[in-house]
């Protein structure tokens, strides 16, 4: 007589996901394979994500990739290996995309607000100070700023409001009359002729008036022709409505001469 191997046929009646183990002649035990659970007759794949999030961080997603196997991925707004996930502050990098003159505040996981700092105006992504400060930040107007500084003209740093017509840098760099004006001591008068006090006049406002008085004291004539605003029948406004906390800047293509 020979002992009957209960595992010889059809895996001994055990699950295909189980190991049939001979015990005594004619008997066997069914043991589920690693990654499976059950009585050996029925073996079910273990999903580790169903218990304690598979060992992943509470701010991570557990994804089953095999029997009792899973990977952990940090949720959006968090960084790490999945086992440990750390909140990513949007404001911690590049000020959250806000202006350098704005305060960035995290609000939700993937949200933040940008608010201009005191003494600045704007939407938080672009913030402007007073028009004296703004002159220096724009290459089109920086030469005008340097002329003001050289003559210690600080009117535009005051509370305003002001309307400022700025000949663009290219004009100020190339106009040969400037050296002569500086030598004669009249450059300050020329610069102040480009400033208007007590009013912050946008382009749309300028289309409705014909004359304004400069800080120098002389009037500036305004005309509207061929969809363009022209000052003193000579200087055309190229760029308009750069708004600061104390006024507005318009860039023109010629120097105004009182």
């Amino acid at each position: 007589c020979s002992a009957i191997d209960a595992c010889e046929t059809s895996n001994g009646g055990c699950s295909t996901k189980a190991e049939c183990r001979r015990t005594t002649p004619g008997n066997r035990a069914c043991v589920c394979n690693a990654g499976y659970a059950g009585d050996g007759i029925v073996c079910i794949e273990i999903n580790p994500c169903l218990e304690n999030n598979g060992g992943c961080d509470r701010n991570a997603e557990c994804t089953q990739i095999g029997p009792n196997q899973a990977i952990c991925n940090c949720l959006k707004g968090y960084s790490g290996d999945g086992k440990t996930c750390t909140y990513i502050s949007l404001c911690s990098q590049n000020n959250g995309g806000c202006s350098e003159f704005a305060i960035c505040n995290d609000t939700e996981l993937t949200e933040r607000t940008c608010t201009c700092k005191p003494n600045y105006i704007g939407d938080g992504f672009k913030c402007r100070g007073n028009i004296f400060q703004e002159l220096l930040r724009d290459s089109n107007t920086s030469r005008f700023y340097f002329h003001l500084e050289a003559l210690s003209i600080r009117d535009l740093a005051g509370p305003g409001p002001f309307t400022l017509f700025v000949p663009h840098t290219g004009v100020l760099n190339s106009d040969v009359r400037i050296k002569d004006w500086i030598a004669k001591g009249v450059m300050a008068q020329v610069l102040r002729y480009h400033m208007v006090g007590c009013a912050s006049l946008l382009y749309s406002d300028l289309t409705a008036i014909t004359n304004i008085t400069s800080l120098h004291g002389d009037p500036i004539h305004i005309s509207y022709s061929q969809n363009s605003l022209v000052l003193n029948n000579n200087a055309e406004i190229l760029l308009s409505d750069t708004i600061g906390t104390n006024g507005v800047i318009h860039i023109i293509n010629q120097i105004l001469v009182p």
Side-chain angles (χ1 to χ4, degrees):
C1 296
S2 60
I4 296 173
D5 183 354
C7 295
E8 187 175 8
T9 304
S10 299
N11 198 32
C14 301
S15 167
T16 57
K17 305 298 183 183
E19 178 187 0
C20 180
R21 296 178 183 175
R22 295 172 57 189
T23 52
T24 59
N27 296 302
R28 53 89 177 103
C30 298
V31 181
C32 291
N33 296 334
Y36 294 83
D39 60 5
I41 305 299
V42 176
C43 294
I44 300 174
E45 186 173 290
I46 297 172
N47 182 352
C49 297
L50 298 178
E51 186 176 347
N52 194 33
N53 200 30
C56 303
D57 189 275
R58 64 189 183 91
N59 293 308
E61 180 183 23
C62 179
T63 304
Q64 184 185 6
I65 58 173
N68 204 27
Q69 294 177 306
I71 56 172
C72 303
N73 294 299
C74 293
L75 298 175
K76 187 176 182 180
Y78 292 85
S79 66
D81 61 5
K83 297 292 184 180
T84 302
C85 297
T86 305
Y87 172 64
I88 301 171
S89 169
L90 293 179
C91 296
S92 65
Q93 297 181 346
N94 194 33
N95 200 31
C98 303
S99 164
E100 61 179 309
F101 305 111
I103 298 171
C104 180
N105 285 307
D106 290 291
T107 54
E108 298 179 16
L109 287 181
T110 56
E111 299 292 334
R112 52 88 180 90
T113 60
C114 301
T115 307
C116 292
K117 294 177 179 178
N119 300 320
Y120 289 87
I121 60 172
D123 60 6
F125 297 97
K126 189 168 187 179
C127 298
R128 295 191 179 99
N130 64 49
I131 57 176
F132 188 66
Q133 295 170 311
E134 293 306 310
L135 286 174
L136 183 59
R137 297 190 185 117
D138 187 341
S139 60
N140 287 316
T141 59
S142 58
R143 178 55 59 185
F144 192 86
Y145 171 89
F146 292 130
H147 281 298
L148 294 176
E149 278 285 87
L151 296 170
S152 298
I153 300 174
R154 302 302 297 267
D155 307 61
L156 300 176
F162 300 101
T163 300
L164 181 61
F165 302 103
V166 181
H168 69 77
T169 291
V171 170
L172 291 175
N173 283 339
S174 61
D175 198 310
V176 297
R177 296 174 296 175
I178 291 178
K179 286 185 178 180
D180 186 48
W181 290 334
I182 293 174
K184 291 180 179 179
V186 299
M187 188 62 184
Q189 298 173 44
V190 174
L191 294 175
R192 284 198 170 95
Y193 186 50
H194 294 76
M195 308 175 193
V196 176
C198 303
S200 182
L201 301 170
L202 299 176
Y203 190 93
S204 58
D205 300 320
L206 295 172
T207 62
I209 56 180
T210 56
N211 287 284
I212 49 178
T213 302
S214 70
L215 289 186
H216 172 261
D218 285 353
I220 300 172
H221 177 68
I222 303 173
S223 57
Y224 188 71
S225 172
Q226 297 180 343
N227 296 323
S228 296
L229 273 176
V230 179
L231 309 179
N232 292 346
N233 299 316
N234 182 41
E236 183 180 344
I237 294 179
L238 302 178
L239 298 170
S240 62
D241 296 354
T242 297
I243 300 172
T245 56
N246 65 342
V248 60
I249 298 171
H250 304 286
I251 298 176
I252 57 179
N253 66 349
Q254 298 292 333
I255 298 175
L256 302 177
V257 182

